[in-house]
Amino acid sequence: MAEENIDEIIREILSEDKKVEEEGEEEILPSEELYECPICHHTVSEDAQFCPYCYAVFDEKVDYKMLLETLIGKLKPMVKLASSEGVSVPGIKEDIAQAKKHAGMKNFEAGYAPLQRAYLSVMNALVDHFKKELEKYELVMGMNSDVRELYSKAEGYLEEWEIDDFLTAMNEMKEKASKISKEMKAYLEKLEGVEHAIDIAKKFEIPVDKALGVVDTAKDIADSKKYGDAVNVLDEALTPIKDDIESTMTAFLKVVKDKLLQETYKGKSASRNVMRLIRELKVYRDEGNYVKVLEKMDEINRELSKEN
Ligand SMILES: [Zn+2]
């Protein structure tokens, strides 16, 4: 046999061996059967001595002392949380007292039973309570994908009794939702102001098509729930028609000045009001706030037409 062939054969043998190993591994996995805990209905592995969720015992040979200690550690923060959340857990005090009595006499198996009952009660009460709490926020899920993701994350943690992670996810979701609702409110207010200003601009025969284009863009952004970005776009909505507003304003103020110089306006309260409005207009114009500039022009117009 040529050496080359031997190498090849060895390689083949080794690769067959590897295949068998891999197939073998695949066969091992399904053998670890999963089944449902009859007490808390979580999925647990078949050969577990006890349920890792509710600590129900499946195998009487379990170390009850270890279970008792684990349960005490698990129970403490949950009892504290239940009391701070105003969740009442009937019978829990009696169960804990009983467990203490038995544990004091080193009777760990007898002490385990009431403590497991207490833990199950507090967890069921807390999960019910938090489920209702979470459901209150079902409406905010439509806000955006981040909120939706945090909501289902929180839901999943609650299913798995991961209370700390649940609380973190729910609080994050609440914060996100309140930030978005603030941004949404700011967007709606801004939109109203800009659309009103555009209506005024139309009255002054200022071409507004470019500004309307920017508003449409902002609306599209708002449709995808990015209200903060939409506000930033709206802030610049009048920028493309700024020069037209400036020249119209200048011409308008000349007309206003001529009117104020007429005998009929001199010393009248209307004239004082117009002067005040012009001063306000100047401040807004210096700030580059053309939404307000247009509003002031409209107010001045109304003030002048009052006396006519
Ligand atoms: Zn269980």
Side-chain angles (χ1 to χ4, degrees):
M1 220 182 258
E3 239 178 295
E4 202 184 35
N5 285 342
I6 291 169
D7 278 347
E8 213 166 278
I9 289 163
I10 289 171
R11 207 164 31 239
E12 274 172 20
I13 291 169
L14 287 178
S15 78
E16 270 309 305
D17 200 33
K18 214 180 162 205
K19 242 192 237 165
V20 169
E21 236 176 61
E22 279 166 1
E23 278 164 12
E25 271 171 10
E26 272 168 31
E27 271 163 27
I28 288 166
L29 277 175
S31 87
E32 196 199 36
E33 294 268 333
L34 298 173
Y35 90 118
E36 193 187 291
C37 167
I39 308 297
C40 70
H41 308 292
H42 282 107
T43 306
V44 295
S45 101
E46 188 198 36
D47 44 20
Q49 282 193 309
F50 59 90
C51 173
Y53 295 91
C54 72
Y55 296 91
V57 164
F58 304 138
D59 177 354
E60 293 298 326
K61 278 177 274 174
V62 75
D63 178 354
Y64 280 103
K65 185 170 184 267
M66 177 275 291
L67 267 191
L68 199 68
E69 281 164 359
T70 308
L71 272 169
I72 291 168
K74 285 265 171 188
L75 197 56
K76 268 187 187 166
M78 291 304 119
V79 170
K80 219 173 164 185
L81 182 62
S83 108
S84 75
E85 290 286 325
V87 175
S88 68
V89 189
I92 194 164
K93 273 185 189 160
E94 292 79 0
D95 279 338
I96 292 173
Q98 237 186 65
K100 267 187 189 163
K101 212 175 76 188
H102 289 300
M105 296 185 292
K106 306 273 177 214
N107 195 346
F108 301 118
E109 189 174 343
Y112 151 82
L115 211 58
Q116 193 266 342
R117 199 161 56 224
Y119 184 65
L120 191 63
S121 310
V122 75
M123 287 310 288
N124 279 332
L126 277 174
V127 168
D128 275 356
H129 165 75
F130 285 132
K131 234 177 217 164
K132 280 186 201 126
E133 188 71 15
L134 189 62
E135 275 165 12
K136 285 184 202 160
Y137 290 89
E138 236 169 14
L139 276 175
V140 307
M141 278 170 72
M143 276 180 162
N144 79 3
S145 54
D146 288 349
V147 175
R148 216 159 27 246
E149 202 180 294
L150 285 165
Y151 187 99
S152 40
K153 239 186 182 175
E155 221 175 14
Y157 285 135
L158 200 56
E159 287 286 327
E160 288 296 304
W161 289 12
E162 311 257 9
I163 302 296
D164 286 348
D165 290 335
F166 161 78
L167 288 173
T168 307
M170 188 169 77
N171 287 332
E172 234 178 280
M173 180 201 68
K174 281 188 195 172
E175 263 171 45
K176 189 101 207 166
S178 99
K179 194 178 161 220
I180 291 172
S181 65
K182 268 183 212 145
E183 282 175 351
M184 184 170 79
K185 200 168 157 251
Y187 162 74
L188 290 172
E189 277 168 13
K190 179 71 77 177
L191 181 66
E192 201 187 339
V194 169
E195 285 188 327
H196 180 57
I198 289 175
D199 283 342
I200 297 167
K202 275 194 229 163
K203 277 200 260 177
F204 281 93
E205 291 172 352
I206 296 168
V208 293
D209 285 355
K210 282 178 189 160
L212 286 173
V214 179
V215 171
D216 282 343
T217 306
K219 282 180 178 172
D220 285 343
I221 294 169
D223 277 345
S224 58
K225 322 285 183 192
K226 291 176 186 155
Y227 298 110
D229 292 345
V231 166
N232 292 338
V233 171
L234 282 180
D235 277 337
E236 298 300 324
L238 299 183
T239 306
I241 61 167
K242 194 182 94 177
D243 291 344
D244 288 320
I245 297 172
E246 282 274 348
S247 58
T248 306
M249 181 193 72
T250 310
F252 171 70
L253 287 177
K254 271 182 199 151
V255 174
V256 172
K257 193 183 110 193
D258 287 347
K259 270 204 168 176
L260 289 176
L261 288 173
Q262 285 167 18
E263 274 310 306
T264 42
Y265 279 101
K266 276 187 183 165
K268 294 260 175 73
S269 68
S271 150
R272 281 197 296 275
N273 286 343
V274 171
M275 297 298 258
R276 173 180 55 82
L277 289 168
I278 291 173
R279 275 195 296 273
E280 288 172 8
L281 182 145
K282 191 189 173 299
V283 172
Y284 289 127
R285 191 227 167 199
D286 291 346
E287 285 174 1
N289 187 344
Y290 288 96
V291 168
K292 287 287 178 190
V293 165
L294 286 163
E295 274 177 24
K296 290 300 153 190
M297 284 165 68
D298 195 39
E299 279 178 56
I300 292 166
N301 238 356
R302 267 182 285 148
E303 193 63 44
L304 288 173
S305 61
K306 261 187 209 168
E307 289 291 305
N308 282 348

